[in-house]
Amino acid sequence: MALNAKWDELFGGTGAPGTGASGTGPSQPPASMTLAGLPAPEGGGSGDPNLKADEGPWHKAGNTAGELRTSTSTSLTDLDTANEGYAAGTAGFDSSAALTEILGTWKNRLTAVRDECGRLESALKSAGRDFGEREVATQRKIAAEAPVPPQKKGN
């Protein structure tokens, strides 16, 4: 199915009344979107808050990245502790050089994960804060620009 046909099928198109956009199958109401959780003006949209940015998920993801950073840092310390003195215990064995190489590569990997988790923690929390601030600003702007509904006489 072509992209335009699929789009029309999902979001409304030019099909005959009572049919989908392609002219076959049951019709569905066209999809609508709201902004900042506010319903569309009279005659438009369903009022569902399907375009809403919330700080919560971003902050939670940032906390998870921070927890992973901490546990990775602890693992690096544990790795060093577990390998103290291994060189003396394996002196003369062919495996000593391989163990040293493996230890180095694991430390490099864990350090990269730890550092990336630290970067992500900050970036995710910042994104959440930015989304939350923009959401509030958008709600205020829309509310300020929304037409005032007419009031009934006698109230």
Side-chain angles (χ1 to χ4, degrees):
M1 175 180 291
L3 180 60
N4 287 343
K6 183 67 174 175
W7 181 268
D8 285 345
E9 179 183 308
L10 292 172
F11 300 109
T14 59
T19 66
S22 62
T24 62
S27 65
Q28 295 180 356
S32 62
M33 187 175 292
T34 62
L35 184 60
L38 299 174
E42 185 66 35
S46 65
D48 293 332
N50 59 359
L51 181 58
K52 185 174 186 317
D54 188 348
E55 180 179 354
W58 295 94
H59 191 74
K60 184 176 178 181
N63 285 341
T64 300
E67 291 168 6
L68 185 55
R69 182 188 188 287
T70 300
S71 68
T72 305
S73 188
T74 301
S75 296
L76 274 166
T77 301
D78 291 348
L79 185 62
D80 282 337
T81 302
N83 286 286
E84 286 177 359
Y86 83 91
T90 60
F93 290 103
D94 290 340
S95 62
S96 184
L99 288 172
T100 301
E101 181 183 346
I102 291 168
L103 175 62
T105 60
W106 274 108
K107 286 177 73 168
N108 289 342
R109 289 178 184 137
L110 287 172
T111 298
V113 168
R114 180 201 62 199
D115 294 348
E116 181 63 9
C117 287
R119 185 193 70 75
L120 283 173
E121 177 182 19
S122 174
L124 289 166
K125 287 181 177 181
S126 177
R129 201 169 29 257
D130 290 349
F131 276 126
E133 289 170 2
R134 286 188 184 114
E135 182 74 9
V136 169
T138 301
Q139 287 174 336
R140 286 183 184 145
K141 185 174 181 178
I142 290 172
E145 294 178 5
V148 177
Q151 295 197 1
K152 295 180 182 178
K153 293 183 178 180
N155 284 351

